[in-house]
Amino acid sequence: VQLQASGGGLVQAGGSLRLSCAASGSTFSINGIGWYRQAPGKQRELVAGISSGGSTNYADSVKGRFAISRDNAKNTVALQMNSLKPEDTAVYYCFAVAMGRDDDLPDYWGQGTLVTVSS
């Protein structure tokens, strides 16, 4: 499975950005898909994920501001980010979880896309 992320950039605080991730290859083997992020000097953290059935989960810090969606027919996942804050500045990584796992740990990673929120 290959994941191609796009959509990062520079935005002012309060603004919006939309990240997209396209999966290719053995996409039938994917269950969960979503986004992690890593800010400078910090550990990578889960931002949002969505299962093959459409169940979603979000980090507390982004609830109510970010929305994840998935198009299974097109093998894409999107992250709509609204009301962005400077603390949302990070490299965002698309990830996918293979079918059959007991946990939700990522099996596949896309390249990162940088999101910078200026104050």
Side-chain angles (χ1 to χ4, degrees):
V1 174
Q2 294 79 46
L3 301 172
Q4 181 69 43
S6 61
L10 173 65
V11 64
Q12 288 189 331
S16 298
L17 278 176
R18 184 177 179 88
L19 304 183
S20 295
C21 179
S24 60
S26 301
T27 56
F28 59 86
S29 66
I30 294 174
N31 184 4
I33 192 167
W35 300 87
Y36 272 71
R37 69 184 179 187
Q38 187 166 21
K42 294 187 177 181
Q43 289 189 330
R44 195 172 292 193
E45 63 173 355
L46 176 66
V47 178
I50 184 168
S51 72
S52 57
S55 298
T56 59
N57 64 298
Y58 295 92
D60 287 343
S61 59
V62 308
K63 284 180 181 177
R65 300 188 298 122
F66 291 12
I68 190 169
S69 60
R70 177 173 182 166
D71 186 331
N72 290 325
K74 296 182 178 180
N75 297 312
T76 58
V77 61
L79 184 69
Q80 179 65 41
M81 305 186 293
N82 300 323
S83 303
L84 282 161
K85 304 176 181 180
E87 50 264 43
D88 294 318
T89 295
V91 177
Y92 284 69
Y93 297 90
C94 178
F95 76 92
V97 181
M99 290 284 189
R101 292 189 69 106
D102 292 331
D103 54 38
D104 291 327
L105 294 178
D107 292 284
Y108 310 104
W109 292 97
Q111 90 287 6
T113 185
L114 177 63
V115 172
T116 304
V117 184
S118 63
S119 57

